[in-house]
């Protein structure tokens, strides 16, 4: 048998020679041994895997020569297509009598074009698709013979350098580089399989909210040569189901390196460190566009960092520094800016920075980034702890009439342990009339439509539908109604101060209830529909007066005319921790008394 070698790179299309007779194309499936032959062009070769985004290539005839071109699969997350182990991004020539390896996702093919009838009948030679040879690409030395599925274990066991190895079925002389071949050895989850697993398992993904068990978790390769994933594409490290572990219990990637990072088996997003070791509670922040959700989250996380230890002796810390980087940047900008322009935060957009595109059920889905923090009581052994996950949703997600594909990013509310609904009274006509003499520029903004009742009603409908509840039944989740920008409307209440939510290291439930009753009475007078919707949603509702800025914003001039921004000298948030403390007391009583 001739010494095996990886196929050589195809010549660019511009070097194509003319040929008077159109060759016949032969495609051989290296996995099952099937042979396909055609002289009719254009001809399409497809990946046989499941899913709407299957990879495909087209072979066409141009001036007597065959040209291979990629067919756009519709997204950057499409299955990998490689010609001679290089990504196929543009048309290439298939010269006669030259053998090419073609990887279409999990389909591994060898291609050959010829006008020679004798050569056509003799190719390919007999080979064994069930037995693959791993060889050194530089010397041709055979390193081992195993079944295709056993190649990763063989490579790990022998510590071979992946970049110097290739493999082909025994009897053939052209192979596939292992760095690309490995992506064909791990089956991407089908949409049907993902749906079947969606409601099962002990854990849920903080990004796509589908459930899974510990044994379903994927590991993320650490070796530089494994920088492409068959589902996520180039630039995303290879995800794999681990079969080998080191003494520390860490997965070993196909190159033999420890791979401690894990990924969701559904969307393949990286999971936060130690995610499987902690209980998790979701707190969903909902509100109309422009209500101030981003400012609230920035102020909240800053205050929790500073005050949770003083109030309860707990440690509040970043549970996912890389995943939380955007919220941390927002908090830094808000509290550290020297000018109003530097303190100003961007409005949350449906496809803005706080959202990410994930591959789910064979299509790209835009979902909000989870912001993961941990609460720990380290005064006891072993420490008691839990993760708390915040979401900042664009208000448009909850507008009635939105397409289901656009609103999938709001489905974390179904898994929420607590809901924070941020109400903006400065967009309510009755509040605006009562506050007409106030100088706050938010009361002067035109074209503001108050649609907050409908957003809360839409959220109620969606949650009950997803939970299978009849319309009259309430959800078993506490709801905090946050009446924002209280520095503007506090004059509508009596002059009494709101008591702090904590007394002697414990949540002051009586004080919270009394403050809630005062705020509720005002809302019942000014916007009774909001109160009615909130109390038809849940039996457990409280009302809170909050202000993320603690002062009226400044109207900017010049290029930013029409925008409002905080005054960095006057930032002093009011009441932002009270609703979260109340929710934590409901969902984590073992930590927050």
């Amino acid at each position: 048998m001739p010494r095996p070698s990886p196929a050589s790179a195809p010549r660019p299309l511009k070097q194509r020679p003319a040929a008077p007779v159109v060759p016949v194309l032969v495609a051989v499936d290296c996995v099952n041994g099937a042979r396909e032959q055609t002289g009719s062009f254009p001809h399409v070769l497809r990946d046989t895997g499941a899913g709407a985004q299957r990879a495909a290539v087209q072979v066409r005839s141009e001036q007597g020569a065959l040209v291979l071109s990629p067919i756009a699969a519709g997204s950057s997350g499409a299955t990998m297509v490689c010609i001679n182990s290089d990504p196929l991004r543009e048309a290439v020539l298939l010269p006669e009598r030259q053998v090419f390896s073609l990887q279409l996702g999990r389909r591994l093919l060898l291609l050959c074009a010829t006008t020679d009838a004798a050569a056509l009948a003799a190719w390919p030679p007999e080979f064994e698709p069930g037995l693959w040879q791993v060889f050194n690409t530089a010397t041709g030395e055979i390193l081992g013979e195993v079944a295709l599925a056993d190649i990763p274990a063989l490579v790990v066991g022998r510590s071979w350098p992946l970049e110097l190895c290739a493999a082909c079925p025994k009897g053939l002389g052209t192979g596939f580089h292992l760095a690309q071949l490995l992506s064909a050895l791990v089956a991407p989850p089908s949409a049907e399989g993902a749906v079947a697993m969606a409601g099962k398992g002990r854990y849920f993904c903080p990004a796509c909210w589908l459930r899974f068990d510990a044994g379903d978790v994927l590991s993320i390769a650490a070796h530089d040569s494994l920088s492409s994933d068959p589902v996520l594409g180039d630039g995303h490290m290879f995800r794999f189901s681990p079969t080998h572990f080191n003494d520390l219990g860490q997965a070993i990637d196909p190159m033999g390196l420890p791979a401690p990072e894990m990924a969701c088996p559904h969307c393949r997003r990286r999971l936060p460190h130690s995610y499987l070791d902690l209980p998790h509670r979701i707190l969903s922040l909902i509100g109309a566009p422009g209500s101030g959700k981003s400012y609230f989250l920035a102020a909240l996380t800053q205050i929790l960092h500073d005050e949770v230890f003083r109030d309860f002796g707990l440690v509040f810390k970043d549970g996912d520094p890389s995943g939380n980087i955007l919220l941390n940047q927002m908090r830094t900008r808000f509290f550290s800016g020297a000018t109003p322009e530097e303190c100003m935060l961007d409005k949350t957009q449906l496809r803005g920075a706080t959202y990410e595109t994930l591959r789910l059920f064979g299509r790209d889905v835009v979902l909000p980034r989870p912001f993961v923090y941990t609460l720990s009581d380290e005064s006891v052994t072993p420490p008691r702890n839990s993760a708390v996950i915040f979401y900042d949703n664009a208000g448009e997600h909850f507008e009635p009439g939105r397409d289901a594909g656009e609103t999938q990013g709001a489905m974390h509310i179904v898994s929420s342990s607590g809901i924070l609904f941020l109400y903006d009274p400065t967009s309510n006509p009755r509040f605006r009339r009562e506050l007409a003499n106030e100088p706050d520029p938010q009361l002067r903004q035109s074209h503001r439509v108050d649609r907050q009742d409908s957003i809360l009603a839409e959220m109620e409908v969606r949650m009950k539908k997803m939970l299978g509840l009849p319309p009259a039944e309430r959800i078993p989740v506490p709801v905090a109604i946050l009446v924002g920008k209280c520095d503007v409307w506090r004059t509508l209440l009596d002059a009494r101060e709101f008591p702090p939510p904590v007394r002697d290291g414990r949540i002051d439930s009586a004080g919270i209830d009394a403050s809630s009753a005062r705020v509720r009475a005002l809302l019942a007078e000014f916007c009774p529909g909001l109160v009615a919707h909130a109390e038809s949603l849940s039996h457990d509702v409280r009302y809170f007066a909050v202000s993320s800025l603690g002062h009226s914003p400044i109207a900017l001039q010049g290029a930013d005319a029409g925008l409002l921004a905080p005054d960095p000298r006057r930032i002093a948030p009011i009441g932002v921790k009270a609703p979260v403390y109340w929710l934590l007391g409901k969902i984590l009583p073992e930590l927050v008394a």
Side-chain angles (χ1 to χ4, degrees):
M1 170 184 126
R3 187 178 75 180
S5 64
S8 58
R11 285 183 290 168
L13 181 59
K14 64 182 181 180
Q15 298 179 9
R16 178 179 70 243
V21 180
V22 176
V24 172
L25 176 72
V26 180
V28 177
D29 192 312
C30 295
V31 177
N32 58 29
R35 185 179 189 273
E36 179 181 346
Q37 177 178 318
T38 183
S40 177
F41 303 99
H43 180 72
V44 175
L45 297 168
R46 300 184 186 276
D47 180 14
T48 55
Q53 301 294 334
R54 292 183 299 171
V57 295
Q58 181 190 73
V59 183
R60 68 181 186 273
S61 172
E62 286 191 7
Q63 300 178 4
L66 298 186
V67 176
L68 180 73
S69 303
I71 296 178
S75 77
S76 60
T79 307
M80 179 187 297
V81 180
C82 290
I83 182 75
N84 289 350
S85 295
D86 290 322
L88 179 65
R89 297 189 174 93
E90 58 184 2
V92 296
L93 180 71
L94 299 180
E96 279 197 64
R97 306 289 293 274
Q98 185 173 324
V99 178
F100 293 85
S101 67
L102 176 67
Q103 181 176 341
L104 286 172
R106 289 174 54 80
R107 196 176 183 197
L108 305 175
L109 303 174
L110 294 185
L111 306 180
C112 185
T114 182
T115 56
D116 187 326
L120 188 66
W123 192 84
E126 291 188 10
F127 68 98
E128 301 179 43
L131 186 63
W132 284 62
Q133 295 179 326
V134 180
F135 57 92
N136 184 296
T137 58
T139 66
E141 176 190 1
I142 302 297
L143 303 176
E145 294 184 356
V146 292
L148 179 63
D150 295 331
I151 288 178
L154 181 66
V155 173
V156 170
R158 304 291 177 86
S159 299
W160 290 327
L162 198 66
E163 63 276 10
L164 296 181
C165 294
C168 65
K170 186 175 182 179
L172 295 179
T174 303
F176 302 81
H177 281 283
L178 290 192
Q180 282 72 35
L181 180 63
L182 287 172
S183 65
L185 304 183
V186 177
S190 67
E192 294 79 7
V195 171
M197 291 194 296
K200 300 179 181 179
R202 176 181 176 185
Y203 307 97
F204 68 88
C205 174
C208 70
W209 314 299
L210 299 180
R211 304 197 74 86
F212 54 86
D213 284 316
D216 302 322
V217 174
L218 301 177
S219 292
I220 302 177
H223 196 275
D224 291 344
S225 64
L226 300 173
S227 59
S228 182
D229 183 75
V231 174
L232 302 180
D234 294 342
H236 296 270
M237 297 302 290
F238 180 62
R239 272 69 167 159
F240 65 99
S241 296
T243 56
H244 294 75
F245 301 85
N246 62 17
D247 293 341
L248 298 177
Q250 297 171 327
I252 300 298
D253 75 14
M255 273 294 292
L257 289 184
E261 291 198 324
M262 299 177 296
C264 168
H266 301 285
C267 67
R268 304 171 85 86
R269 185 190 191 271
R270 184 186 61 82
L271 294 172
H273 177 66
S274 300
Y275 188 78
L276 304 185
D277 300 330
L278 296 174
H280 294 79
R281 300 292 184 269
I282 289 178
L283 295 183
S284 296
L285 178 62
I286 312 300
S291 59
K293 298 182 297 299
S294 297
Y295 284 106
F296 176 81
L297 271 183
L300 174 67
T301 51
Q302 178 69 38
I303 288 172
L304 293 181
H305 270 294
D306 293 342
E307 300 190 15
V308 162
F309 183 76
R310 183 179 64 193
D311 290 336
F312 301 108
L314 301 177
V315 179
F316 180 84
K317 56 187 176 183
D318 202 330
D320 185 16
S322 60
N324 294 348
I325 188 169
L326 288 170
L327 180 52
N328 293 335
Q329 289 173 345
M330 288 163 55
R331 186 174 73 242
T332 300
R333 179 180 179 90
F334 180 39
F335 284 98
S336 301
T339 65
E341 290 82 0
E342 291 178 358
C343 293
M344 185 172 60
L345 302 181
D346 294 332
K347 174 185 175 296
T348 303
Q349 303 284 348
L350 277 172
R351 295 179 180 270
T354 58
Y355 280 71
E356 59 186 332
T357 301
L358 300 176
R359 193 75 179 159
L360 196 62
F361 300 155
R363 64 190 181 95
D364 289 341
V365 180
V366 180
L367 299 175
R369 294 179 185 273
F371 300 120
V372 183
Y373 294 86
T374 60
L375 274 174
S376 302
D377 181 357
E378 300 182 358
S379 65
V380 296
T381 304
R384 292 194 298 261
N385 48 41
S386 179
V388 180
I389 307 173
F390 296 101
Y391 292 94
D392 177 17
N393 259 99
E396 291 84 352
H397 258 316
F398 291 93
E399 289 181 341
R402 279 277 174 180
D403 178 77
E406 295 182 10
T407 61
Q408 184 166 353
M411 289 300 101
H412 55 83
I413 57 172
V414 179
S415 301
S416 290
S417 298
I419 294 174
L420 299 146
F421 185 86
L422 183 57
Y423 181 75
D424 179 8
T426 66
S427 66
N428 177 276
R430 175 71 186 277
F431 272 96
R432 290 165 74 93
R433 285 195 299 270
E434 293 292 328
L435 298 169
N437 294 325
E438 295 290 333
D440 193 294
Q442 296 168 105
L443 299 168
R444 309 288 176 265
Q445 289 180 309
S446 59
H447 309 297
R448 299 194 67 186
V449 178
D450 186 17
R451 51 191 175 185
Q452 298 174 94
D453 287 7
S454 62
I455 287 177
L456 189 58
E458 177 70 15
M459 184 179 73
E460 176 186 354
V461 169
R462 288 194 208 165
M463 288 193 72
K464 291 180 178 179
K465 183 185 298 184
M466 293 294 292
L467 294 170
L469 299 177
E473 187 171 345
R474 292 174 173 85
I475 63 172
V477 176
V479 176
I481 303 296
L482 284 54
V483 187
K485 306 175 183 178
C486 69
D487 56 281
V488 181
W489 58 264
R490 276 291 302 272
T491 55
L492 300 177
L493 287 175
D494 56 65
R496 289 176 296 158
E497 291 292 326
F498 288 109
V502 178
R503 177 181 294 180
D504 300 326
R506 301 176 65 88
I507 291 178
D508 182 8
S509 298
I512 288 176
D513 290 347
S515 298
S516 172
R518 293 170 61 195
V519 178
R520 182 190 184 279
L522 182 67
L523 286 180
E525 178 184 354
F526 281 64
C527 44
L530 179 73
V531 175
H533 280 308
E535 295 177 3
S536 68
L537 175 62
S538 171
H539 283 293
D540 205 359
V541 182
R542 296 294 185 277
Y543 302 85
F544 299 86
V546 304
S547 173
S548 304
L549 276 60
H551 66 277
S552 295
I554 296 173
L556 301 180
Q557 304 298 322
D560 294 321
L563 299 179
L564 303 179
D567 182 345
R569 300 166 300 176
R570 300 171 61 202
I571 293 176
I574 301 170
V576 297
K577 69 181 182 182
V580 174
Y581 278 10
W582 175 71
L583 289 175
L584 292 177
K586 296 285 183 179
I587 64 179
L588 292 172
E590 68 278 13
L591 285 175
V592 183

